[in-house]
């Protein structure tokens, strides 16, 4: 007598198991969608890793970004980054690189932010976006204490160091048009060559020059001049939410005095008029400023 399919051994348990699987799989799919929504909400800033700002910085750009003895990054821009991230409930994962590496990493999707003294230029603005101004700097020709030169023009025909990709490199043809440029990957390398006499001057940001003179008594600032652009942080073009959030936190820090406290920690000079114009609330916090 043929055996009916319904009488096959194990038929009912198998059907029951399949039925249960049919119920479980849709539920699992729903759970996955919910988790995805939560992840999306937690990563509303479009970060590479939800909850963490992956930030490029430098270890040789005092006072904006440099390394402690422990190797941990510190400096004016780093402190601003840490405070803004704290207020946003985010962590910061710093990666040390150059300015050129920072900007390239932003466009390549390797970083969410560049936390160092990044000069805002029209060329750079084509590939990245910038926060509101965080500092307004000067450009300085740093030389040795043996030199008596005191004008930019007097360095024409001299070997002048610049950091590749820096805003000072772009300014060199205007400041010292007949200089013999010598390019370096880092500021520390340029300072080293200046100290041993391999170059005659190093064109660098004013605050950086001040720090190097403090570190090396054999150096002096030959001449300085205001620049026509601010110093800011940079974010990729596809991070509008992060950019807005950072600017909001910087505005809050200016309003509550936190920005001024950090500024005085790292700089002995008053803010430039252009920075006060960008943040009017700073005028009452720096009454000594012009």
């Amino acid at each position: 007598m043929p055996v009916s399919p319904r009488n096959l051994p194990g038929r009912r348990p198998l059907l029951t198991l399949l039925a249960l699987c049919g119920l479980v799989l849709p539920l699992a799919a729903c759970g996955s969608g919910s988790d995805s929504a939560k992840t999306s909400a937690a990563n509303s800033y479009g970060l590479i890793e939800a909850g963490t700002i992956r930030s490029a910085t430098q270890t040789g750009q005092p006072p904006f970004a440099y390394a402690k003895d422990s190797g941990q990054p510190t400096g004016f821009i780093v402190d601003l980054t840490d405070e803004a991230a704290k207020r946003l409930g985010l962590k910061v994962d710093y990666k040390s690189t150059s300015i050129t590496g920072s900007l390239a990493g932003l466009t390549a999707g390797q970083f969410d932010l560049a936390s160092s003294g990044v000069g805002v230029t029209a060329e750079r603005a084509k590939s990245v976006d910038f926060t509101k101004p965080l500092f307004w700097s000067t450009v300085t020709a740093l030389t040795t204490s043996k030199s008596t030169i005191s004008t930019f023009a007097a360095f024409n025909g001299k070997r002048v160091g610049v950091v590749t990709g820096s805003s000072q490199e772009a300014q060199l043809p205007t400041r010292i048009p007949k200089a013999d440029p010598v390019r370096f990957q880092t500021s520390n390398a340029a300072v080293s060559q200046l100290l041993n006499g391999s170059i005659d001057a190093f064109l660098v940001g004013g605050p950086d020059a001040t720090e190097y003179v403090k570190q090396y008594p054999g150096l002096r600032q030959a001449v300085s001049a205001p620049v026509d652009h601010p110093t800011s942080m940079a974010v990729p073009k596809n991070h509008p939410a992060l950019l807005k959030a950072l600017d909001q936190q910087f505005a809050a820090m200016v309003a509550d005095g936190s920005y001024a406290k950090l500024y005085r920690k790292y700089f002995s000079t008053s803010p430039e008029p252009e920075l006060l114009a960008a943040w009017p609330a700073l005028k009452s916090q720096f009454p000594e400023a012009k």
Side-chain angles (χ1 to χ4, degrees):
M1 178 178 180
V3 179
S4 171
R6 73 180 60 185
N7 294 325
L8 284 171
R11 175 73 174 182
R12 187 173 299 279
L14 178 61
L15 291 174
T16 302
L17 179 60
L18 289 173
L20 287 173
C21 288
L23 291 173
V24 171
L25 288 174
L27 287 174
C30 291
S32 175
S34 177
D35 290 343
S36 177
K38 290 179 181 178
T39 300
S40 178
N43 196 14
S44 58
Y45 301 119
L47 302 173
I48 297 171
E49 177 185 351
T52 299
I53 298 175
R54 191 172 298 176
S55 181
T57 190
Q58 293 193 72
T59 56
Q61 193 195 24
F64 296 106
Y66 56 99
K68 297 179 182 178
D69 292 340
S70 63
Q72 286 294 108
T74 189
F76 178 63
I77 295 294
V78 174
D79 283 4
L80 285 174
T81 302
D82 289 341
E83 180 62 23
K86 178 182 176 182
R87 295 182 182 208
L88 291 171
L90 301 172
K91 297 178 182 178
V92 186
D93 179 17
Y94 290 104
K95 304 293 182 183
S96 177
T97 185
S98 63
I99 289 290
T100 301
S102 297
L103 298 177
L106 289 175
T107 59
Q110 297 175 330
F111 304 121
D112 301 303
L113 181 67
S115 300
S116 50
V118 183
V120 180
T121 67
E123 186 63 29
R124 289 173 175 175
K126 294 177 182 179
S127 56
V128 299
D129 287 331
F130 292 97
T131 64
K132 287 192 65 176
L134 298 174
F135 189 81
W136 211 285
S137 191
T138 56
V139 59
T140 296
L142 189 65
T143 188
T144 66
S145 56
K146 297 178 181 179
S147 171
T148 59
I149 294 177
S150 59
T151 65
F152 286 117
F155 284 107
N156 280 315
K158 305 291 186 180
R159 289 169 59 83
V160 179
V162 288
V163 173
T164 300
S166 68
S167 60
Q168 290 79 34
E169 181 186 30
Q171 295 177 62
L172 183 60
T174 301
R175 301 289 182 183
I176 314 173
K178 295 182 181 179
D180 179 11
V182 182
R183 292 173 174 81
F184 298 92
Q185 291 302 310
T186 67
S187 292
N188 287 339
V191 170
S192 176
Q193 293 301 300
L194 178 60
L195 287 167
N196 69 26
S198 296
I199 58 175
D200 300 295
F202 174 32
L203 198 66
V204 66
D208 309 57
T210 298
E211 291 299 314
Y212 285 124
V213 169
K214 290 179 182 178
Q215 293 179 39
Y216 305 102
L219 298 180
R220 73 176 183 89
Q221 298 185 53
V223 57
S224 295
V227 297
D228 59 0
H229 61 266
T231 295
S232 300
M233 296 184 199
V235 301
K237 285 289 187 181
N238 62 346
H239 277 49
L242 178 61
L243 181 65
K244 181 179 179 180
L246 288 172
D247 277 340
Q248 288 175 338
Q249 295 309 315
F250 296 144
M253 292 167 70
V254 167
D256 66 21
S258 300
Y259 174 93
K261 183 177 180 180
L262 287 175
Y263 186 102
R264 294 184 188 280
K265 174 182 177 182
Y266 288 102
F267 305 104
S268 57
T269 58
S270 301
E272 294 291 322
E274 292 87 349
L275 184 65
L276 298 179
W279 300 101
L282 289 177
K283 294 179 180 179
S284 62
Q285 298 173 32
F286 292 91
E288 74 279 10
K290 296 179 181 181

